[in-house]
Amino acid sequence: MPEVHFSDHGPVRYLHLGTDWVQGAMRLDDPYALDLEYIQRMMAWLLFVEPTSVMGRHAMQLGLGAAALTKACRKTLRMTTTAIELNPQVVAACRLWFKLPADDARLSVILGDAAEVVASEHWAGRIDALQVDLYDHEAAAPVLDSPEFYAGCRRLLTEDGCMSVNLFGRHASFERSLGHITAAFDDACVWSFRPTREGNTVVLARRQPGQPPRAEMLERAAVIEARWRLPARKWVRGLQPPP
């Protein structure tokens, strides 16, 4: 396992896995805010569900990173939240340096292999929001990226569940990864954003095809922005079918 460390640059703390690549971030003056743009976009599944239903749903993160999504789902959205992380040093770092709270009735951080989790029947059909961010210390391409892996991710989802995946949109692996996702979910279930300035592309894939009407998504976006301080109207403008 790579050694885990952090660096502080002004108001932001960054997580690193043995290299200078950023694996996550936290604002020191607002530890539960989502600071990175691609991390914010990983929450765009909120556009597909009624805001009043969010607190009763279950979120899962495959890859803990700096725990930004885990903290936001548990603390801000008040969801049942499960995070799967292979590296025990990452869990320790998040608890020591990134304000990840202790497990409780609604939060469970599990040391484990994401490949085994998606292949298990234990979680099948139980996850409403699955957030996948599985890069190693070299951050070259996702470490789990096969059609079989994404088919396993689909099996975890509830009928109206959605997967959010972080991909490097300017990397040669992007088209391959997108092809594997559409093979598992079907083209009609998949949307994506343009790459962020840093090159991260977030892809959304729903268990079932269909998208709410634009007017309905804009209404939900206004609620999301007011309630959770996320740039949801930008999401509505930015979501598009895959190229």
Side-chain angles (χ1 to χ4, degrees), residues 1-196:
M1 297 285 181
E3 185 177 349
V4 178
H5 66 281
F6 73 90
S7 63
D8 290 344
H9 296 274
V12 181
R13 175 166 292 170
Y14 297 102
L15 178 73
H16 308 276
L17 301 181
T19 72
D20 290 335
W21 283 102
V22 170
Q23 302 284 347
M26 178 187 74
R27 292 193 63 84
L28 294 171
D29 60 351
D30 193 356
Y32 291 95
L34 297 178
D35 191 58
L36 299 176
E37 185 177 22
Y38 92 87
I39 291 287
Q40 295 173 355
R41 291 178 178 182
M42 295 282 280
M43 301 291 276
W45 61 269
L46 288 165
L47 294 171
F48 298 141
V49 300
E50 283 296 326
T52 54
S53 74
V54 169
M55 191 170 70
R57 294 177 179 271
H58 191 160
M60 175 179 280
Q61 293 81 44
L62 300 182
L64 184 60
L69 290 169
T70 303
K71 292 186 299 184
C73 289
R74 172 62 189 92
K75 178 79 171 180
T76 306
L77 302 185
R78 301 177 63 81
M79 299 174 70
T80 298
T81 306
T82 304
I84 310 297
E85 174 55 50
L86 188 63
N87 189 340
Q89 294 183 60
V90 171
V91 177
C94 287
R95 293 242 152 93
L96 285 170
W97 304 326
F98 290 90
K99 305 292 185 182
L100 177 64
D103 286 5
D104 58 23
R106 286 195 169 222
L107 174 63
S108 181
V109 179
I110 298 172
L111 279 174
D113 187 333
E116 295 179 0
V117 169
V118 303
S120 168
E121 290 300 315
H122 177 74
W123 298 105
R126 296 175 56 185
I127 305 302
D128 298 290
L130 180 65
Q131 295 161 321
V132 183
D133 194 358
L134 294 169
Y135 283 82
D136 63 14
H137 60 289
E138 295 179 350
V143 294
L144 295 173
D145 191 46
S146 67
E148 294 76 18
F149 170 72
Y150 292 119
C153 290
R154 186 179 183 275
R155 282 193 298 271
L156 297 190
L157 296 176
T158 57
E159 286 301 305
D160 64 348
C162 183
M163 175 182 73
S164 308
V165 185
N166 171 40
L167 301 173
F168 277 178
R170 298 193 182 99
H171 193 274
S173 67
F174 174 74
E175 292 296 334
R176 181 186 68 230
S177 299
L178 185 62
H180 292 171
I181 292 170
T182 55
F185 280 82
D186 191 86
D187 287 352
C189 301
V190 179
W191 295 269
S192 67
F193 291 97
R194 294 186 182 277
T196 64

